[in-house]
Structures are given as structure tokens and as C-alpha cells.
Amino acid sequence: MPQNINQPSNQIRLTNVSLVRLKKGKKRFEIACYKNKVLEYRSGVETDLDNVLQIPSVFLSVSKGQTAPSQDLAKSFGAKTPLNDIIMEILNKGEMQVGEKERHAQLERVHNEVIDFVAGKLVDPKSKRVYTTGMIEKALDQLSSHGGATHKLDDGKTTGTATPTNGEASKEKAKEMPTWTGVVTTKSAKSQALEAMKALIAWQPIPVSRARMRLRVTCPTNVLKQAAKGSVKKEVEEEDADAESEKLTGTIKDRILSYVEQIETQDTVGQEWEVIGFVEPGAFKGLGEFVNGETKGKGRVEVLDMAVTHEGD
């Protein structure tokens, strides 16, 4: 039995490798990178390609050491595309084979983004003060550690309208209410943050409510007393696909004020009426559409503050 196995001279052997793959032009291309460096490069932490790429080559198969023929690269990426540009495209757009350390780093990054987003959007409903990221993190951990908090319905400890009246109602509510089971890397941080906010508001492991927007609405006085037409769509939650249409009656002024939770000032100057107040973020889109439609573009909705909160001491 031979003691040594001769490797082909054109075979490139690589170790400690993280692969990035991109399918283009019916071919799959790969580049070999150092572990834990791809995410750093994509997030902007690492900028030196020499610290990211193990070798500045494009492969059909890194494991076999099979480099991509130049004709395949030309057919898929264009004959005049430099090799460096091809590598950059694969690095930026390719699918990454994630190692354990990289997976953990990516999960931690998304987790921190979710916590920061939620902490900036929710407040204590009584004091209107924001919570620290640590308190938000603990509240979400409490939900995820109990399977999204559906157990609370069985215990009858939920607050507000979520409180069950009997055992069967509890189980039905548990199925309908939003849950939180933790962060994943397959969804965007923003979409997960919105899911986390819904769960926190529904289950109230700590008292929370959405931070309100401060708006200025202006409208010509000659349309204020006109009867509002049709129905208006109120967004239940920011970027939520589910919305409810409510048919409201009254004048245009009445309908505008129905969106405003708290009026700060209200005044008429010349031929223009103005109200400044606080509105739930989910109602902003509906308010803007209503004002624009009913006033035929003569009314305006201006955002004075995206999220009105009070910082803790």
C-alpha cells in the first residue's frame, strides 16, 4: 500500500475555510474565505479583502480544488468583467456557508438590532418613559422561555382585553394572540422587532405601549364642516398587512380629531385650521390618506416628532 498519495498539481488545498456560493448563468461559483470574516466584511467592520479571502480565485468546487474556467466566468459575468469584480459580486450577493462562530455572531447582531428598535418604540404607558434595552431584553426572554407566553392565558394573568373568561376562551385567545419565540437569522431585524412589539403589547410582561407621533394637521376652514365621505382605513399596526376598515360618521373635522389621542393646540388662522396633537403610529397612514382625499390635496399632515418619549432619569 503506497505511503504517499500525490495530489494533482493544479489542486488547491484549503483549510479553516468558509464558503460563499453564487449561482449565475446556470453555474454555481464559489470563493474561499476565512471563517468569521465574511460577516465582518459585509457589516463594514473588515475592509481589507486580503483578510477575508483565502485565495483570490473563483471555484466551481472549493472542496475539490476545481477552479472556474475563464470561459465559464465570461459567459456568466460578462467577457469584460475583471476577476476582482466577479469576486466582489460573489462575496456581496452570494449565499454563505455559516460556521458556528459566524452563526452566533450573526444571531447576536440581529438580536441587538431587534432590542434597540423595540426599546426606541415602546414606553411605559403611565410615565411615558422609555425602557432600557436590558429591561426589554428580559421581557422578551420571559415570553420566549414560556413558548411565546401562551401559558399566561391558562393562568388568567394577562391584562386588558386579553384576560380570559373561561378555559375554552383562554385556549382560543392563545391561538389568536401574537407570540414571541426568539430571534432568527432568516428574517430581517425590523420585521422581527415589529413581531416582538406586538407580543409585548399583547401579553404585557411589563407595562408597555407604543410611543406616539406628534403631528400637525392643517386644513382649509371651508371644508371642516363638510360631511366626510365613505369609509376610512385605519392601520392597526405599523407595516401590518392586516387592517380594519371602520365606517365613521361626522364632519371632516370630527373625523380628523378622531385620530388624535391627545390635542396639544388647536387654532384657526385666517382661512386655515390647525391642530397639533399626538397620534398612534399605526393611525398615521390612514390619517394622511383621509386628509389628502377629503381636502383634495389642500390639507397637510406634518410629522413634528416620530416617537414622543421621555428618557429615564
Side-chain angles (χ1 to χ4, degrees), residues 15-290:
T15 58
N16 190 34
V17 65
S18 180
L19 304 182
V20 180
R21 300 187 177 103
L22 179 68
K23 187 174 183 180
K24 188 162 185 176
K26 297 182 180 181
K27 290 280 187 177
R28 190 183 71 175
F29 301 96
E30 302 178 348
I31 55 175
C33 304
Y34 291 105
K35 285 187 176 182
N36 309 320
K37 286 296 182 180
V38 178
L39 284 176
E40 289 184 9
Y41 175 80
R42 289 181 173 180
S43 64
V45 175
E46 179 60 72
T47 57
D48 190 348
L49 279 180
D50 291 337
N51 294 331
V52 179
L53 299 173
Q54 289 216 10
I55 186 169
S57 298
V58 179
F59 295 80
L60 292 179
S61 174
V62 170
S63 62
K64 296 178 181 178
Q66 183 182 0
T67 56
S70 57
Q71 57 267 31
D72 286 355
L73 295 175
K75 186 176 181 180
S76 298
F77 294 92
K80 296 183 179 180
T81 305
L83 178 62
N84 190 61
D85 290 352
I86 294 174
I87 291 174
M88 292 290 291
E89 182 174 346
I90 297 173
L91 182 60
N92 289 316
K93 298 181 180 180
E95 179 184 352
M96 183 172 53
Q97 180 184 338
V98 182
E100 188 61 33
K101 289 184 179 179
E102 285 187 310
R103 186 179 294 107
H104 178 74
Q106 185 178 14
L107 189 64
E108 186 177 10
R109 177 180 59 81
V110 176
H111 174 80
N112 290 337
E113 289 181 12
V114 168
I115 298 299
D116 288 343
F117 187 95
V118 174
K121 297 293 184 180
L122 296 183
V123 296
D124 183 309
K126 291 184 178 180
S127 68
K128 304 302 179 186
R129 295 183 183 275
V130 296
Y131 285 104
T132 64
T133 54
M135 295 181 72
I136 293 294
E137 188 171 22
K138 286 181 180 179
L140 288 175
D141 285 345
Q142 183 180 341
L143 294 184
S144 60
S145 64
H146 294 90
T150 53
H151 73 293
K152 284 195 172 184
L153 279 172
D154 297 328
D155 297 337
K157 294 180 181 178
T158 51
T159 59
T161 57
T163 303
T165 56
N166 54 60
E168 289 300 321
S170 300
K171 294 179 181 179
E172 289 302 317
K173 283 287 187 180
K175 294 178 181 178
E176 297 172 4
M177 292 177 65
T179 59
W180 177 254
T181 55
V183 172
V184 296
T185 57
T186 54
K187 298 168 68 176
S188 71
K190 185 173 183 180
S191 66
Q192 293 185 80
L194 291 172
E195 292 175 4
M197 289 165 58
K198 292 177 186 178
L200 287 171
I201 292 172
W203 295 101
Q204 298 284 317
I206 55 176
V208 293
S209 64
R210 288 289 301 266
R212 298 176 302 175
M213 300 175 72
R214 183 167 174 264
L215 305 178
R216 176 193 287 119
V217 182
T218 54
C219 184
T221 55
N222 61 351
V223 303
L224 290 179
K225 295 183 179 180
Q226 295 179 11
K229 303 173 185 177
S231 62
V232 61
K233 182 177 285 187
K234 281 190 175 183
E235 297 295 333
V236 178
E237 182 64 62
E238 182 179 284
E239 297 189 11
D240 191 352
D242 297 326
E244 297 176 350
S245 291
E246 298 180 357
K247 287 189 176 181
L248 304 175
T249 58
T251 64
I252 291 176
K253 180 179 179 180
D254 292 336
R255 291 275 290 275
I256 291 174
L257 292 178
S258 72
Y259 283 93
V260 183
E261 286 195 344
Q262 180 183 343
I263 296 174
E264 186 175 290
T265 62
Q266 185 178 179
D267 197 9
T268 300
V269 180
Q271 301 299 313
E272 193 170 68
W273 171 76
E274 174 188 280
V275 60
I276 296 176
F278 301 93
V279 175
E280 281 290 331
F284 171 66
K285 183 179 179 182
L287 173 59
E289 291 176 350
F290 175 77

